[in-house]
């Protein structure tokens, strides 16, 4: 067990009122959090004061789920909240150091438009942008973009790969020193340092150049969350941060090994990709206090909400079965949600959960790694994963907000710092600085824009 | 000449270093303005302190122009700057009252994605968002979206009309009081107050609902700039602010009459659409000082820049002709730029301009209405248009920044206020409040989302 150099990375993964299904009913919750900018500004400033590496925002281009009766009792299901890039741009103006990671899908966006927005956020924030690149395997999204069904899994990943290739090409449209802006000579930029992309592929045709200079980080930090085979392959080839969910140290180590091996197979250093699993921490000054906090939240979940979420995640109806029956083992794995289904079915089998028990577990920590206990206990398991090649850092998924994040900052962060596991001051200014990721050089291209004239 | 109730509206139309082609070479210019957030924050706060109604940002989804040698001497040609929605979100966080209008094209965006972003900006800003709806008639954009040429004029406007219809439907997904967020009963929203759109049209298929609550203004303020027949028709049918360019009072009055008549023909009140022409003011304490300011800027223009801009605007090569030859009158009007071409050719004919003279004029005020003089002289002509049905307000296009805006605020605004033509304090909080525009009610729809369950 060798102590590695450097600290762990910490992300604040923010759902509007928190990750717990009933978080919005917590007495201290801002029930309108999804459209409350001051709420997010306060959280961002608190996470920055605690020296977090980044904020992380999920997204979906559609109101997910069909069961509106259950959704009406559940606020955190992408039903109604800020669009993340818009929100992060505004948060960039009220923070100075913390990284800003927005989820955006490659399935229904256009690479030119999205690449511009991330480059713009990177400029506005002084080099703090990150892009959580996802594919959309959700009919609720497909129906908003003229499709009768979502793209097949393989098509989505091929499109994602091409999308990323185009985006990186666009971010490399200008050499870093292309803009001389010399008032005396009247030369604004060097026309020999701007490049067309001239991309023509299966999904996109994009000439370029991008109409914004190369950004402080070169590219935003590339984040991915795929746990499927193609997901891990794409992560190994190009992700710089991987968000994931594993319940056990052994699973975490296996995933960590797989992704680092993929990175090496792609000619990258294992340090070029940071594995940051989610952790759903319930913190108390004593174990009993922590358990009581969680119990209080669980008691706020309506069973229909829990069952609806589980049905949605597993893709099958369950409410016609007895709630105390075991989780069926013959659930068909779907194109849309294969890796998520597998994680849940393994959890149910390992812990012998009934349908309602699994449903409440999912609605609580939503399939993520839940740790309930004292600051010392929580740091013990984080340290174990960090020191044993199970994680390079963690995305903190507070059960409720602002209290869950405040608890983590007040109680857990000092213990991490005391053990030398987390920074006390930012060492640099950009998200790449925080994470210890190199700034990518511009990849050489021959198609100078000036030749097109 | 009847004095109307209320004040004129003022917009600050911001190009990075200003609207003049050589603005970036001005001694006080921030040459890196296009990616300098503090520069924009300072301008936004100055305009807000002066009680402007709105900021207005242009856009293009491509680096326009092919002549990279000339572009290299010209910074303000969409070559390299912030994406406007990202920028305005950040500016929303550092301002409190001023309206925030971003240009976004209906030609290469998806309505679900764009409608979300504007609703998000409207929430973040507390009801200050506006959308300048444009169509993209530019090959430099088409090439970035898998097309060999831009869409035909008629197709673009049909797409724009359908896009707007979808966007308004999506903004109306939720009734204003759909979110009850009652912690005690556990009801977050009323599922009977959310609606699917179920749109299937020529260009788009969008189910909805939008995954964000109805925003403070209901819809962002809808701005348009089309001066062609279909452009004026779309403006009359749906625009709430029209940005335009007319050189003379008579032309301004004719345009004003046309658009108001279109509004009436569409069952709207003429007050539902505000005509806000651009004005390029060069202000001096004396006429001589103003003219010297302009002359100093004109002397910074390289002839190749001026000719390149004119070639691009007229769509024909001109540099092979003698610079002092008259502007050719047989220039073919193109699908892409018909209305802009016509405005320029009329200007050349009216003032008997040579090619280089027209080129320098275009590079200077870029075809917009230039007024050079003392504050009293500038207010005289603004007042004349405002009181004689030529304008409901103006988009101020400062020649250079920050100086051109600072001059207008320090010298012209007090004179406007002295004559009772402009407010001294904001009367309300939203952009609709500032402009005297009603908040649109939700249009009735029968397809309740809950019926889909």
């Amino acid at each position: 067990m060798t102590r590695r150099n450097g600290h762990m990375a910490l992300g604040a993964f923010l759902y509007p009122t928190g990750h717990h299904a009933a978080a919005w009913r917590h007495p201290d919750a801002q029930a309108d959090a999804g459209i409350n900018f001051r709420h997010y500004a306060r959280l961002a400033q608190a996470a920055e004061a605690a020296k977090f590496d980044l904020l992380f925002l999920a997204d979906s281009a559609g109101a997910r789920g069909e069961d509106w009766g259950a959704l009406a009792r559940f606020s955190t299901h992408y039903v109604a909240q800020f669009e993340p890039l818009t929100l992060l741009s505004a948060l960039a103006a009220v923070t100075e150091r913390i990284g800003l990671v927005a989820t955006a899908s490659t399935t229904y966006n256009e690479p030119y438009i999205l690449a511009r927005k991330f480059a713009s956020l990177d400029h506005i924030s002084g080099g703090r942008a990150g892009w959580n690149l996802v594919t959309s395997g959700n009919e609720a999204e497909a129906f908003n973009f003229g499709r009768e069904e979502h793209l097949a899994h393989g098509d989505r990943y091929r499109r994602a790969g091409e999308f990323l290739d185009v985006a990186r090409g666009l971010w490399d449209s200008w050499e870093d020193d292309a803009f001389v802006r010399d008032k005396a000579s009247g030369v604004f930029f060097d026309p020999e340092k701007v490049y067309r992309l001239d991309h023509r592929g299966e999904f996109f045709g994009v000439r370029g150049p991008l109409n914004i200079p190369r950004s402080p980080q070169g590219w935003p930090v590339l984040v991915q969350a795929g746990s499927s085979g193609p997901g891990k392959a794409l992560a190994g080839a190009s992700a710089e941060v991987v968000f994931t969910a594993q319940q056990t140290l052994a699973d975490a180590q296996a995933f960590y090994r797989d992704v680092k091996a993929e990175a090496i197979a792609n000619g990258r250093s294992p340090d070029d990709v940071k594995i940051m699993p989610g952790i759903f921490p319930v913190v108390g000054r004593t174990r009993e206090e922590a358990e009581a906090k969680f119990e209080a939240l669980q008691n706020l979940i309506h069973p229909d909400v829990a069952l609806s979420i589980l049905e949605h995640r597993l893709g099958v109806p369950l409410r016609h079965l007895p709630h105390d029956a075991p989780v069926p083992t013959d659930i068909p794995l779907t194109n849309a949600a294969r890796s998520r289904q597998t994680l849940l079915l393994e959890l149910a089998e390992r812990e012998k959960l009934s349908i309602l028990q699994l449903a409440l577990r999912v609605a609580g920590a939503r399939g993520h790694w839940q740790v309930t206990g004292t600051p010392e206990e929580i740091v013990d398991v984080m340290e174990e994963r960090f020191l044993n090649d199970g994680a390079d850092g963690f995305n903190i998924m507070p059960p409720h907000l602002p209290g869950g994040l405040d608890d983590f900052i007040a109680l857990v962060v000092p213990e991490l710092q005391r053990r030398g596991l987390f920074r006390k001051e930012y060492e640099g200014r950009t998200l790449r600085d925080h994470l210890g990721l190199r700034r990518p050089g511009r990849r050489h291209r021959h198609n100078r824009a000036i030749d097109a004239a």
Side-chain angles (χ1 to χ4, degrees), chain A residues 243-266:
Chain A
F243 171 66
T244 182
Q246 274 84 31
Q247 297 290 335
T248 67
L249 175 62
D251 287 350
Q253 289 171 322
F255 181 86
Y256 189 96
R257 218 164 30 234
D258 283 357
V259 175
K260 300 274 180 174
E262 284 279 359
I264 292 165
N266 280 278

Side-chain angles (χ1 to χ4, degrees), chain A residues 134-156:
Chain A
V134 299
T135 71
S136 295
N138 189 298
E139 291 193 341
E141 296 179 85
F143 294 152
N144 293 326
F145 297 92
R147 290 185 177 271
E148 299 296 327
E149 56 180 0
H150 53 75
L151 283 181
H153 193 262
D155 292 342
R156 292 206 312 271

Side-chain angles (χ1 to χ4, degrees), chain A residues 10-20 40 43 47 52-59 76 78 81 84 98-99 101-103 132 134 223-225 242-245 276-281 313 365-366 368 394-401 404-405 408:
Chain A
L10 289 183
F13 185 168
L14 303 179
Y15 267 39
T17 55
H19 285 267
H20 191 279
Y40 278 102
L43 295 173
F52 272 55
D53 293 77
L54 56 92
L55 303 177
F56 187 100
L57 297 180
D59 192 39
T76 58
Y78 305 110
Q81 54 181 288
I98 196 164
V101 180
T103 299
N132 180 34
V134 299
V223 183
Q224 282 174 253
V242 175
F243 171 66
T244 182
M276 293 178 66
I279 176 171
F280 179 97
R313 298 217 147 210
R366 299 170 43 264
H368 278 276
F394 299 92
N395 276 295
I396 310 305
M397 307 173 78
H400 63 102
L401 291 169
L405 183 64
F408 190 90

Side-chain angles (χ1 to χ4, degrees), chain A residues 329-399:
Chain A
T329 53
D330 58 348
I331 287 171
L333 300 185
T334 68
N335 162 30
R338 181 179 304 276
S339 56
R340 196 164 55 192
Q341 289 174 310
T342 306
L343 290 169
L344 291 178
L345 294 175
E346 287 171 1
L347 170 64
E349 191 183 345
R350 191 168 56 247
E351 304 197 13
K352 312 285 177 232
L353 302 177
S354 73
I355 290 173
L356 185 59
Q357 283 171 329
L358 181 62
L360 288 170
R361 181 75 72 88
V362 167
R366 299 170 43 264
H368 278 276
W369 180 40
Q370 177 172 346
V371 184
T372 305
T374 64
E376 292 72 24
E377 287 171 326
I378 289 171
V379 171
D380 284 347
V381 292
M382 292 174 74
E383 182 173 40
E384 182 184 45
R385 286 211 183 179
F386 179 63
L387 296 182
N388 292 285
D389 289 342
D392 297 310
F394 299 92
N395 276 295
I396 310 305
M397 307 173 78

